[in-house]
Amino acid sequence: MDLITLEALQTFPKQLAAHYAAIPTGFKHWAPPSWEGIPSEHFTAIEQICHVRDIEIDGYQIRFARTVSEANPTLPGLDSEGLAKARSYETADAAKVLEAFAEARLATLAFLVSRPPEELKRPAFFEGYGHTSLRGLVHYLCSHDQQHLAGMQWLLGQITDLVLREHK
């Protein structure tokens, strides 16, 4: 696996926590009047971090394991909105969510760096993405991380605009 991708995966938990901390306290559960333009799922700040945790554990960790243990598995996407409702994201404890995510990411990285190079070529079919490999899945995870940092920045932009309008 290339070093830049592994470094991005390794540093992401701290980046996510810092982005979440940048959201003003009164806006952790705030939803904008329109989600137009958000580069991630339509989730509030607390829901964003819960989603990232669950995609790591219930999505990518399982996808990676299946890709190395099964012959060309079909890997389903997850119902993000369904998970948010079923797991009551809006009532989550952010500190616990971020801690669970950081621990899960360490486990993901340990799994990935322990793979022999030939396993990175193992094929899979990822619903919504098409034919891929273990290496491709790693890049999709990294891309997903970046989408959620962008989503948090988008929320910060919306909050800033709202606060400026209210103080005119």
Side-chain angles (χ1 to χ4, degrees):
M1 197 74 248
D2 56 284
L3 187 58
I4 191 67
T5 301
L6 290 173
E7 286 177 356
L9 291 171
Q10 182 179 18
T11 60
F12 179 68
K14 286 183 182 177
Q15 292 177 327
L16 182 65
H19 277 71
Y20 183 77
I23 302 286
T25 302
F27 289 90
K28 305 286 189 187
H29 295 86
W30 176 80
S34 168
W35 291 103
E36 184 178 344
I38 192 167
S40 63
E41 287 85 354
H42 301 174
F43 287 146
T44 65
I46 187 70
E47 292 168 337
Q48 293 268 347
I49 65 171
C50 290
H51 168 76
V52 168
R53 174 203 59 201
D54 289 348
I55 290 298
E56 185 81 11
I57 297 166
D58 299 327
Y60 282 96
Q61 287 182 348
I62 291 171
R63 291 174 188 135
F64 294 156
R66 287 189 60 204
T67 300
V68 300
S69 67
E70 297 176 25
N72 202 24
T74 296
L75 308 171
L78 295 179
D79 175 9
S80 298
E81 290 179 16
L83 277 176
K85 288 180 180 125
R87 297 182 179 175
S88 301
Y89 283 2
E90 71 280 354
T91 64
D93 178 319
K96 289 180 181 176
V97 170
L98 290 167
E99 180 181 341
F101 171 66
E103 290 173 5
R105 178 54 59 93
L106 285 175
T108 298
L109 286 165
F111 177 85
L112 293 173
V113 300
S114 71
R115 309 282 34 111
E118 63 273 6
E119 276 192 2
L120 294 173
K121 297 175 186 174
R122 288 191 56 89
F125 183 85
F126 187 10
E127 290 179 355
Y129 292 80
H131 295 282
T132 191
S133 63
L134 180 60
R135 181 187 305 275
L137 288 170
V138 173
H139 290 297
Y140 291 142
L141 172 58
C142 193
S143 170
H144 184 263
D145 288 353
Q146 299 307 307
Q147 288 170 348
H148 284 280
L149 291 182
M152 295 292 254
Q153 286 292 337
W154 185 91
L155 284 169
L156 283 165
Q158 293 287 306
I159 292 163
T160 299
D161 292 344
L162 176 69
V163 170
L164 286 174
R165 283 192 304 273
E166 288 179 354
H167 287 90
K168 280 188 175 182

